[in-house]
Amino acid sequence: MEYRNIGNSGLRLSAITFGAWAAGGWMWGGTERKDAVRAIRASFDEGVTSIDTAPIYGQGDSEEIVAEAIEGLGRDKVQIITKFGMRWNLAKGDLAMKSRNNRGEAIEVYKYAGRESIIKECKDSLRRLKTDYIDLYQIHWPDSTTPIQESMETVAELIKEGKVRYAGVCNYNTGQMKEADKYVNIISNQVPYSMIKREIEKTVVPFALENNKSIIAYSPLERGLLTGKMLPGHQFEEGDHRANLYYFRDENLEKVNSFLNSIKHLADDRQASLSQLVLRWTIEQPGITIALAGARNAIQSVQNAKAINVKLYPDEINFITAELNKLELVR
């Protein structure tokens, strides 16, 4: 595994980090707890020491699964990344969505990052994770109802108290990152980035490179779309959010799979999977420090971890990007 420094901090994360959204089940059609625990432990055995989770993932389930999975590994051997600012049990802030929890009950999710809420969320996360500190604490989404200053000064307090080591943000634009950085050292921005979602290359990536901030890319496999395993006519389980995304329309599945076939020979040459090739390309892109890779079982998590063994030459990276630039999806 490769380990990379995050921003200007002393925090080092595994270049492939375990993304525990799907492990929490919420919006993924449920979860099998034992499989999720095995997935995290199997990835750790492959050198994946960093795990990204959030309270909203399964409304606490994901964080509890992470705690169970890392028990006995040694707290200093793993890096826990979690978030705040998505409340399903407090109707305050911006309404983000109406959803259902893992039991099928209706819930309303709010983006809220007021001081008292962050303090409570941190306490609850520490309890669920069975730890006394969080390595990287991130605001999950911007909250238009709370000043960034209030949110970030609260995280700075948590750092002084030793409950948090470093501060990060998620889904922030460059203006929001500049503002947040005034009140606490922001070392990273976790944003969506994949072969078919490259908008951040225009502004967020240049800002990160110029200001020594790391980008943690989430959904680099675009929720399974870039694995080459999803064919037209694919049926999602009830509650799986992907069923409503335009990427997964049959015509787009055909286009994406055609692109993947055009680069498959590079994976075959290395006896690697398309998923591994995609992950390696992702962490080779300028400004992309970490790729989050989710898995719901040990086979998937081990395959993701082994993506680090795929080596690409500059001309091969350029070839992949050139083929990618020809891809046009239908909205």
Side-chain angles (χ1 to χ4, degrees), residues 85-110:
M86 291 283 277
R87 297 293 303 268
W88 67 94
N89 46 11
L90 177 68
K92 199 170 184 179
D94 294 319
L95 177 63
M97 70 182 81
K98 295 185 178 182
S99 184
R100 292 188 178 275
N101 62 22
N102 284 343
R103 295 183 296 278
E105 300 163 343
I107 58 173
E108 292 186 341
V109 181
Y110 287 81

Side-chain angles (χ1 to χ4, degrees), residues 135-277:
D135 292 283
L136 179 59
Y137 204 35
Q138 311 162 113
I139 186 169
H140 205 147
W141 283 92
D143 163 25
S144 69
T145 70
T146 304
I148 289 175
Q149 179 176 358
E150 177 182 336
S151 301
M152 296 305 136
E153 286 182 345
T154 303
V155 177
E157 290 176 24
L158 294 171
I159 291 174
K160 287 181 180 178
E161 294 171 2
K163 295 174 182 176
V164 170
R165 291 182 64 201
Y166 297 104
V169 297
C170 302
N171 303 298
Y172 264 35
N173 60 34
T174 56
Q176 292 163 333
M177 288 181 70
K178 289 178 183 176
E179 178 68 11
D181 210 35
K182 294 178 183 178
Y183 311 108
V184 66
N185 178 30
I186 298 298
I187 65 172
S188 61
N189 189 6
Q190 184 179 141
V191 285
Y193 182 75
S194 73
M195 284 180 161
I196 63 166
K197 191 180 288 182
R198 298 163 57 194
E199 292 86 354
I200 64 166
E201 293 177 353
K202 298 175 183 176
T203 56
V204 175
V205 167
F207 177 85
L209 290 170
E210 291 169 9
N211 294 276
N212 197 16
K213 308 297 182 187
S214 287
I215 291 177
I216 299 174
Y218 72 80
S219 298
L221 294 173
E222 206 52 67
R223 300 166 172 85
L225 178 65
L226 293 167
T227 63
K229 298 177 181 177
M230 303 194 75
L231 303 176
H234 183 88
Q235 296 295 312
F236 292 101
E237 293 182 24
E238 185 178 353
D240 193 318
H241 71 290
R242 293 175 293 179
N244 299 316
L245 298 178
Y246 76 89
Y247 309 129
F248 297 96
R249 294 177 188 163
D250 284 354
E251 56 191 328
N252 286 331
L253 286 175
E254 289 178 359
K255 288 175 178 285
V256 170
N257 286 334
S258 178
F259 156 70
L260 292 172
N261 285 333
S262 75
I263 65 171
K264 188 175 183 297
H265 67 278
L266 294 173
D268 293 341
D269 288 346
R270 292 156 175 79
Q271 296 183 315
S273 68
L274 280 167
S275 298
Q276 291 168 335
L277 184 70

